[in-house]
């Protein structure tokens, strides 16, 4: 059985006080067990957010991480720095990083390998554009991205990752993939994982859906066999909607 996961990607939103307030609100009423709750504030707020979360069962993620452990990389963030603030998860390969910051499949694979070597759990994002979906290229695209991100990994390493299927056309647009559309891709991804690794890995690895997840559509998504949770942008910025998602996942 895979534990459901609700992960909030705060992206480049909220001031420090707002981030602290959101973290406190989540900490106060977060379910104690039965769902893994993760938040990813901007790196500048990791210190204050980790304090605000205190002993609550909420895990911290970084929205990005450089592959090197230190060095001359102006503006970047290294794993050992993130670990100082209790970060255990790193979002890698988000479509915004790929599209707006030119991150390639090779770079993402490099970061995945480095994150695993430093004992982080990467949340690896993949997903197709609207053009690719309409052109019938969804499977080819996500299979390519999956194989590229997992290049060089063994089954034990793969089992320490979380995969997130985020169709680009559904991110921040209010258009969600239907539960059936999402399930079809998740099922396919699990079959690729089985082919690339083994059945145990394919069954153990959590696959999250991301793209306009809200309390109104989440129950029907997470009830699908191969959807293990959500990677949430907009609806993770409010205490009530985020906690509602966590409760729905229980
Ligand atoms: P929205 O939930 O705002 O569509 O964002 C999804 C996302 O990109 C999470 O990483």
């Amino acid at each position: 059985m895979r534990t459901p996961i609700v992960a909030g990607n705060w992206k480049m939103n909220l001031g420090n006080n707002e981030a602290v307030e959101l973290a406190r609100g989540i900490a106060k009423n977060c379910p104690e067990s039965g769902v893994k709750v993760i938040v990813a504030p901007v790196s500048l707020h990791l210190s204050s957010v980790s304090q605000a979360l205190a002993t609550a069962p909420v895990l911290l993620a970084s929205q990005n991480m450089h592959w090197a452990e230190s060095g001359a990389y102006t503006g970047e963030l290294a794993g050992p720095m993130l670990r100082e603030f209790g970060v255990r998860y790193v979002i890698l390969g988000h479509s915004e990083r790929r599209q707006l910051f030119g991150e390639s499949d090779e770079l993402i694979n490099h970061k995945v390998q480095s994150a695993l070597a430093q004992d982080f759990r990467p949340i690896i994002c993949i997903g197709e554009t609207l053009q690719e979906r309409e052109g019938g290229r969804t499977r080819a695209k996500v299979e390519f991205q999956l194989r590229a991100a997992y290049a060089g990994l063994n089954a034990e390493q793969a089992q320490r990752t979380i995969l997130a299927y985020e169709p680009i056309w559904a991110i921040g647009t209010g258009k969600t993939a239907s539960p059936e559309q999402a399930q079809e891709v998740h099922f396919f991804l699990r079959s690729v994982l089985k082919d690339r690794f083994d059945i145990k890995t394919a069954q153990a690895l959590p696959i999250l859906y991301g793209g306009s997840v809200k309390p109104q559509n989440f129950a029907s998504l997470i009830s699908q066999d191969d959807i293990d949770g959500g990677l949430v942008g907009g609806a993770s910025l409010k205490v009530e909607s985020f906690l509602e998602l966590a409760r729905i996942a229980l």
Side-chain angles (χ1 to χ4, degrees):
M1 261 304 282
R2 300 177 293 268
T3 305
I5 299 173
V6 173
N9 176 6
W10 296 358
K11 306 193 181 183
M12 198 176 72
N13 293 300
L14 310 174
N16 187 56
N17 292 341
E18 294 167 314
V20 166
E21 209 174 304
L22 176 56
R24 283 201 187 120
I26 294 168
K28 207 164 142 199
N29 287 308
C30 183
E32 290 286 331
S33 60
V35 56
K36 208 178 265 189
V37 176
I38 304 174
V39 294
V42 295
S43 56
L44 196 59
H45 301 155
L46 281 170
S47 168
S48 53
V49 167
S50 73
Q51 281 175 37
L53 292 172
T55 56
V58 180
L59 299 152
L60 263 187
S62 174
Q63 296 178 19
N64 191 17
M65 190 188 104
H66 194 270
W67 46 265
E69 293 190 29
S70 67
Y73 300 102
T74 302
E76 289 289 329
L77 286 167
M81 300 164 186
L82 298 170
R83 186 163 302 284
E84 285 187 299
F85 296 104
V87 172
R88 305 261 311 280
Y89 294 79
V90 274
I91 299 173
L92 295 175
H94 194 280
S95 59
E96 288 150 17
R97 301 278 340 152
R98 293 177 190 262
Q99 292 194 318
L100 306 172
F101 303 98
E103 292 201 4
S104 66
D105 288 296
E106 293 70 29
L107 178 75
I108 292 157
N109 175 246
H110 200 169
K111 289 181 173 195
V112 167
Q113 299 213 21
S114 168
L116 287 167
Q118 295 179 64
D119 212 18
F120 289 98
R121 290 195 65 183
I123 301 173
I124 302 170
C125 306
I126 59 177
E128 82 286 4
T129 62
L130 184 59
Q131 214 182 15
E132 286 161 344
R133 172 158 286 265
E134 288 176 345
R137 297 193 300 278
T138 298
R139 286 180 179 218
K141 174 66 180 290
V142 294
E143 177 169 6
F144 182 87
Q145 287 184 321
L146 188 158
R147 289 187 185 274
Y150 285 77
L153 267 56
N154 62 32
E156 177 276 322
Q157 289 171 314
Q159 284 170 34
R160 288 193 279 125
T161 69
I162 294 168
L163 191 57
Y165 168 56
E166 297 205 313
I168 295 170
W169 50 272
I171 296 179
T173 57
K175 272 193 215 164
T176 328
S178 70
E180 295 73 27
Q181 279 175 322
Q183 166 60 22
E184 190 202 336
V185 177
H186 282 230
F187 179 81
F188 172 69
L189 293 171
R190 230 179 268 292
S191 72
V192 176
L193 287 167
K194 183 175 156 210
D195 178 67
R196 169 65 177 79
F197 298 102
D198 50 47
I199 183 132
K200 180 169 169 241
T201 305
Q203 285 176 349
L205 211 151
I207 309 181
L208 313 184
Y209 169 79
S212 297
V213 167
K214 299 180 207 61
Q216 303 88 295
N217 58 31
F218 193 48
S220 57
L221 286 160
I222 198 156
S223 65
Q224 302 292 319
D225 284 353
D226 292 295
I227 302 184
D228 304 313
L231 180 55
V232 189
S236 73
L237 298 173
K238 293 268 185 318
V239 176
E240 263 326 301
S241 50
F242 188 63
L243 285 178
E244 184 60 23
L245 294 172
R247 283 190 285 266
I248 291 169
L250 281 175

